[in-house]
Amino acid sequence: MFGSLHRHARRSFPVILIGLLAAGVVTATPATAAPLALTQHVNPFIGTDNSNSPNPVPGGAGGSTYPGAVVPFGMVQFSPDTPTASPSGYRYSDTSIQEFSLTHFNGAGCANNEDLGILPVTGNLATSPGTNWTGYAAGYTKASESASPGYYKNRLDTYNTGVELSATKRTGFMRLTYPSTPTARVLINSSRSATGNRTGSIAINGSQLTGTFTGGGFCGSSKTYQLFYAIQFDRAPTGFGTWLGGTVNAGSASTSGVNSGGYVTFDTSANPVVQLKVGISYVSVAGAQANLAAENAGFDFPGVRTAADTAWNDVLNRVQATGGSAADLQKFYTALYHVFQNPNIASDVNGQYRGFDQTVRTASHTVYQNYSGWDIYRSWASLIGLLAPAEASDIAKSMVLDGQQGGLLPKWSHNSNEHFVMTGDPGPIIVSSLYAFGVRGFDTAAALTLMDKSSNGGTTQGQTIRGRQAGYLSRHYVTEDPSDSLEYSSSDFAIAQFAKAVGDTAKYNTYMTRAQWWANVYNPESGYVQKRNADGSWAWPVSPASPSGYTEGNASQYTWMVPYNFGSLINLMGGPKTAVQRLDHHFTQLNGGLSLPYFYIGNEPEHGVPWAYHYAAYPQGTSAAVRRVMTESFTTAAGGLPGNDDLGATSAWYVWSAMGLYPPTPGSDVLALHGPLFPSVTITRPGGTVQINASGAGPTAQYVQGFNRNGVSTTRSWLRYGDISGSATLNFTMGSSPSAWGTNAADVPPSYNDGFTPPPAAPALGTNLALGKPATASAPCNAAEAAAKAFDGSLSGKWCSLAAGTKFLQVDLGSAQNVGSFVLKHAGLGGESTGLNTGAYTVQTSVDGTNWTTVVDVSSVRSSRSYHPITQRQARYVRLNVTTPTNNGNTAARIYEFEVYASS
């Protein structure tokens, strides 16, 4: 989440469906369905303030989105910057604006961009903006502010000046309405960015200003880049000047250095409107001028604004969702709007761009840069492959170019620099996911070579991406950080799938074997993915809620990050019943942050966890969890995103969820089905139309009752991309109560077991004979932790006792029955430290409650889940006697579940 590491009544501009399409805005593939007016549903203020996560990752308290003007994938994001907004540039709760700058990331977790600040002011410059830039910040009232796709409007009360912004791909447009004054000024800061002040330059030549800007420093990096700009005003200024440091030089036409900038002055006594447009380039001033000339030739602000709105409407019409509430449509289309903001166009209109070798190059296709790899590989990549295959083809080409020029597929890149933010090796997963969802037209052989290179000592821009690869290869796990180990294994799985798809069997076998090394950091004793020492021993105890040793998460959260082999993970956990209980407990909270043993939608590692229920043949759990998250964690308020949007990653989760299907296995073509929010969703693609119908869909109808594809019914809870790659009709029947759909073992999505011997299937134990039966026990720690808690089928509570000596827990089965096994679920499965797991105990049975036979006797144990099969025998009463309550010296016995089964 650093890359990840989140409403104001919107005044929408009426949608014009037929109008100007300025050069520099994206057009959609012609749709078969009549276009709808969809930009009216977008609220750019969603995600611009803090969410409700109790302990988010640093920089991840809110969506970190921005409300300014941008077109799909635009190089320019023209938006206001406010005082307390880091890392996004803008915070809704602020009421002053420091500047309007040209570049912003949609939802990154580190301070970034805010390049080339522009601020309209009135009056004399009392102090130099070079040393007192924030002293010129302007207050505003929220009622004056509005935004819609491609447009932002506000009024700066300090200067009694109206501001309107719009954009094309590579240019920004600003229309200013000043009061009547001879000192209407525009300040241009050629040095200041979100990450500090650096050298820049400005040259003023009548109504045109040109110069350079140095940006960079993302997430603490020392790397920088050059931005070149060309600003054109609609009339000649009446005065101008520059500043450098603390000195203002009236009449100066140029300057350069740190803390530099310039200003132009206008007399607005006769005409209050001043317009400026600005082109940028990462290649040259000439490139910026050419971009401006090609995309924004005149001063037709309404035309540019209309074209931007039309471009967004075209893109949003790729998915037509109908039948939902106004709030649901706003959440959905705002999420889709955020999905299409990144990566960003990096090449100029003439095809020139700055490569990862810092050389100016020329491409015949659009070049894209800025990849939040660790975040976007989980579901964004497959969504962009599905909805934007043409753009996705150029994105894949661009990533391969980055690798060929820099050394490896990008990890977390900013413009032409790799910043190595976050962990793992996400580039191969992104490319594999794009390919799995139909993206072609890029050099697959080169892509596979780059994937393989990363695992074999390759570097990019002088550094490795897999810094712990040597230990990973020698031990088959990463000892420093178990989440790192999972990231490497996940990347290896994606490489294997890509290799198989392009016909390289040898690499498929190699990387599938490595992919299964996930099992080496799952400790069956603790029941968690956890740190493993270099000698093979396990760190002990495990605190499932502690983020120590995990990248932006904890053991409870990362244990589910095995999306390509949930089947084997579930067997290691003890089977579907235990897995469902653990998932139910995990979803006690939906945005728990880093230090609670619960689900955390605000950060990407857990985005796929709701679909783990599918693999336990319990899709109703998925449907309930997904709908809760959509309803409770996503809202239409400024804090309406649960965590950083991370260049569209969090929004992509919502788009998939609302459509009723989700890609749970990054790098593969699997789509899990959970049922849509809307009665109708039409996806229009170059290859055909996917029509999703949901009879009975609505806010309280989250459960799938039945499903058919093209009229053929199935209870299977998943599809492959190939099932929808052309035209397809997916028909769901939805209801308010769970059904039997998808609950057979044969219905679950695929788990991939090539490359190792999977664990044996967990025993199918049948019905828990003790569930809900009368229970007695030693005195509880408190009234809420009485004996019945151990027999309620849930890990949400426990029996706890501090009674002296041996503590007992007893259940009456109601009649003498065949008993063949017992399952005990200890403190670890309830989210407590595994040091509190029971240390020694016996299990006894009786037919009369008087005469007892000991059938289990264990000591010196510390497992989070204990399974005890016995020779089948008759019993009405079953009793647990705890002689050593824990394995860390604590004197309270804790049992979360005591289960009794007839079979073994």
Side-chain angles (χ1 to χ4, degrees):
M1 179 178 275
F2 260 81
S4 165
L5 206 141
H6 48 168
R7 148 192 128 186
H8 170 252
R10 166 185 177 276
R11 297 181 180 180
S12 64
F13 179 67
V15 177
I16 299 174
L17 296 177
I18 301 175
L20 294 172
L21 280 180
V25 290
V26 172
T27 59
T29 302
T32 57
L36 304 175
L38 297 178
T39 54
Q40 65 178 319
H41 300 304
V42 175
N43 179 359
F45 293 106
I46 291 176
T48 59
D49 223 320
N50 288 353
S51 74
N52 60 359
S53 178
N55 183 22
V57 300
S64 296
T65 61
Y66 59 87
V70 63
V71 297
F73 303 114
M75 180 187 288
V76 166
Q77 310 86 38
F78 206 177
S79 191
D81 300 324
T82 67
T84 69
S86 183
S88 66
Y90 174 93
R91 187 183 303 282
Y92 182 78
S93 54
D94 285 344
T95 55
S96 69
I97 291 174
Q98 297 177 329
E99 65 193 3
F100 300 89
S101 61
L102 272 294
T103 60
H104 296 83
F105 275 156
N106 170 42
C110 286
N112 62 86
N113 292 304
E114 301 176 37
D115 299 335
L116 195 66
I118 301 174
L119 182 66
V121 302
T122 58
N124 296 321
L125 302 185
T127 58
S128 172
T131 52
N132 188 36
W133 180 258
T134 58
Y136 289 91
Y140 72 96
T141 56
K142 300 308 289 187
S144 299
E145 184 179 42
S146 62
S148 60
Y151 179 70
Y152 175 86
K153 181 180 181 180
N154 208 336
R155 182 169 189 80
L156 307 183
D157 294 338
T158 304
Y159 304 112
N160 194 24
T161 297
V163 179
E164 296 173 273
L165 308 177
S166 193
T168 71
K169 285 180 183 177
R170 301 169 179 87
T171 80
F173 205 157
M174 174 181 268
R175 182 164 65 178
L176 304 171
T177 304
Y178 286 97
S180 177
T181 176
T183 58
R185 306 184 196 276
V186 179
L187 311 182
I188 296 94
N189 196 320
S190 56
S191 288
R192 182 180 186 267
S193 75
T195 56
N197 293 359
R198 300 179 182 85
T199 188
S201 69
I202 188 168
I204 303 170
N205 183 13
S207 60
Q208 185 173 91
L209 286 66
T210 56
T212 61
F213 184 95
T214 304
F218 182 64
C219 279
S221 171
S222 62
K223 293 182 179 180
T224 61
Y225 56 83
Q226 287 289 299
L227 181 146
F228 303 86
Y229 65 91
I231 300 174
Q232 181 71 52
F233 287 89
D234 64 348
R235 54 173 150 150
T238 57
F240 56 87
T242 64
W243 65 79
L244 184 63
T247 303
V248 177
N249 295 296
S252 168
S254 64
T255 191
S256 63
V258 178
N259 298 325
S260 64
Y263 66 92
V264 289
T265 305
F266 298 90
D267 186 337
T268 56
S269 302
N271 179 5
V273 177
V274 174
Q275 298 185 101
L276 70 91
K277 54 188 182 178
V278 53
I280 66 171
S281 167
Y282 294 98
V283 173
S284 65
V285 168
Q289 292 171 320
N291 291 341
L292 189 60
E295 294 186 2
N296 205 344
F299 283 94
D300 183 6
F301 188 90
V304 169
R305 176 185 173 185
T306 297
D309 182 274
T310 302
W312 275 114
N313 207 59
D314 287 347
V315 166
L316 298 178
N317 266 280
R318 298 181 188 188
V319 186
Q320 294 184 350
T322 57
S325 70
D328 288 337
L329 287 169
Q330 187 174 91
K331 288 194 287 185
F332 180 78
Y333 280 107
T334 303
L336 192 58
Y337 165 77
H338 285 141
V339 163
F340 280 105
Q341 290 185 8
N342 298 98
N344 303 111
I345 294 167
S347 53
D348 293 339
V349 292
N350 64 359
Q352 287 190 325
Y353 70 99
R354 191 168 300 275
F356 268 54
D357 55 1
Q358 307 310 319
T359 298
V360 174
R361 297 173 172 273
T362 302
S364 58
H365 61 87
T366 301
V367 173
Y368 295 87
Q369 292 175 350
N370 299 334
Y371 300 100
S372 175
W374 186 81
D375 310 291
I376 64 174
Y377 83 69
R378 301 170 198 271
S379 70
W380 178 93
S382 52
L383 183 63
I384 216 71
L386 177 69
L387 301 183
E391 294 92 337
S393 175
D394 286 346
I395 289 168
K397 288 178 186 176
S398 300
M399 292 184 71
V400 172
L401 284 178
D402 294 344
Q404 291 173 323
Q405 297 158 13
L408 299 172
L409 293 172
K411 180 179 184 178
W412 213 128
S413 64
H414 185 188
N415 297 329
S416 58
N417 289 321
E418 176 56 63
H419 287 280
F420 305 94
V421 179
M422 303 307 297
T423 186
D425 186 11
I429 313 180
I430 297 169
V431 173
S432 183
S433 291
L434 290 173
Y435 192 88
F437 276 76
V439 175
R440 299 294 185 268
F442 66 98
D443 190 336
T444 56
L448 183 58
T449 296
L450 290 167
M451 293 176 185
D452 187 55
K453 183 181 176 183
S454 186
S455 296
N456 291 283
T459 64
T460 187
Q461 296 185 350
Q463 296 183 53
T464 60
I465 282 179
R466 293 194 179 202
R468 293 167 172 171
Q469 181 72 2
Y472 176 70
L473 289 177
S474 65
R475 291 184 298 269
H476 299 181
Y477 60 91
V478 173
T479 186
E480 295 89 347
D481 183 338
S483 54
D484 248 20
S485 203
L486 294 181
E487 293 286 355
Y488 285 18
S489 299
S490 294
S491 186
D492 288 342
F493 169 78
I495 296 171
Q497 298 309 301
F498 187 74
K500 184 178 182 179
V502 300
D504 193 324
T505 302
K507 283 189 176 63
Y508 170 75
N509 291 332
T510 294
Y511 283 98
M512 273 308 297
T513 297
R514 295 181 184 180
Q516 304 298 357
W517 293 349
W518 67 268
N520 295 329
V521 289
Y522 178 85
N523 183 357
E525 188 175 39
S526 70
Y528 288 98
V529 165
Q530 65 167 99
K531 179 177 174 59
R532 192 169 190 179
N533 301 316
D535 63 2
S537 62
W538 299 95
W540 197 268
V542 178
S543 177
S546 172
S548 177
Y550 299 85
T551 300
E552 297 187 2
N554 56 45
S556 180
Q557 294 161 357
Y558 267 102
T559 294
W560 299 104
M561 212 195 92
V562 193
Y564 54 89
N565 208 341
F566 276 133
S568 289
L569 177 68
I570 287 169
N571 280 326
L572 287 172
M573 286 182 170
K577 187 173 295 186
T578 295
V580 168
Q581 286 180 332
R582 292 187 65 172
L583 285 166
D584 286 347
H585 177 265
H586 197 57
F587 284 97
T588 298
Q589 291 190 24
L590 302 181
N591 204 21
L594 299 181
S595 53
L596 292 173
Y598 304 126
F599 183 66
Y600 183 17
I601 183 58
N603 207 9
E604 283 71 21
E606 288 223 277
H607 277 191
V609 174
W611 290 269
Y613 281 110
H614 268 53
Y615 296 79
Y618 197 73
Q620 69 190 60
T622 297
S623 297
V626 168
R627 190 61 60 89
R628 281 182 60 211
V629 173
M630 291 174 65
T631 301
E632 299 174 29
S633 297
F634 289 81
T635 75
T636 58
L641 290 183
N644 288 151
D645 204 38
D646 290 316
L647 281 63
T650 303
S651 289
W653 185 96
Y654 189 91
V655 172
W656 278 117
S657 297
M659 293 195 302
L661 55 166
Y662 187 88
T665 312
S668 83
D669 61 352
V670 173
L671 283 167
L673 307 174
H674 60 270
L677 173 64
F678 301 102
S680 174
V681 177
T682 305
I683 303 171
T684 302
R685 311 173 66 248
T689 298
V690 180
Q691 179 61 47
I692 304 173
N693 301 314
S695 174
T700 61
Q702 66 263 48
Y703 299 108
V704 179
Q705 311 295 302
F707 171 78
N708 74 68
R709 172 185 168 271
N710 295 339
V712 179
S713 296
T714 179
T715 58
R716 199 176 74 171
S717 64
W718 59 284
L719 298 172
R720 292 193 182 277
Y721 166 75
D723 295 323
I724 63 169
S725 59
S727 292
T729 300
L730 311 181
N731 295 307
F732 292 86
T733 301
M734 305 298 293
S736 57
S737 301
S739 73
W741 179 85
T743 58
N744 294 319
D747 293 333
V748 305
S751 291
Y752 296 80
N753 280 304
D754 286 357
F756 84 141
T757 301
L765 300 176
T767 301
N768 175 12
L769 304 177
L771 181 63
K773 298 298 174 63
T776 56
S778 301
C781 296
N782 58 65
E785 296 176 332
K789 282 292 185 181
F791 302 100
D792 62 2
S794 167
L795 297 174
S796 63
K798 63 179 181 285
W799 166 70
C800 174
S801 179
L802 279 164
T806 299
K807 302 161 183 63
F808 79 93
L809 175 63
Q810 182 175 314
V811 64
D812 179 355
L813 303 181
S815 63
Q817 301 186 49
N818 288 326
V819 172
S821 62
F822 313 100
V823 174
L824 291 167
K825 292 168 181 174
H826 307 276
L829 293 198
E832 297 188 79
S833 169
T834 59
L836 298 172
N837 289 343
T838 317
Y841 55 88
T842 64
V843 178
Q844 298 177 308
T845 63
S846 173
V847 293
D848 58 10
T850 300
N851 300 295
W852 295 89
T853 301
T854 299
V855 293
V856 174
D857 187 350
V858 294
S859 60
S860 301
V861 293
R862 59 184 193 179
S863 296
S864 295
R865 179 185 182 274
S866 305
Y867 168 57
H868 299 290
I870 63 170
T871 301
Q872 194 176 72
R873 59 186 294 114
Q874 284 274 298
R876 173 172 176 173
Y877 302 96
V878 179
R879 181 171 181 149
L880 172 72
N881 300 298
V882 178
T883 53
T884 304
T886 64
N887 57 81
N888 68 358
N890 190 284
T891 58
R894 296 165 174 83
I895 299 294
Y896 277 79
E897 281 297 295
F898 184 11
E899 300 167 352
V900 180
Y901 297 97
S903 62
S904 57

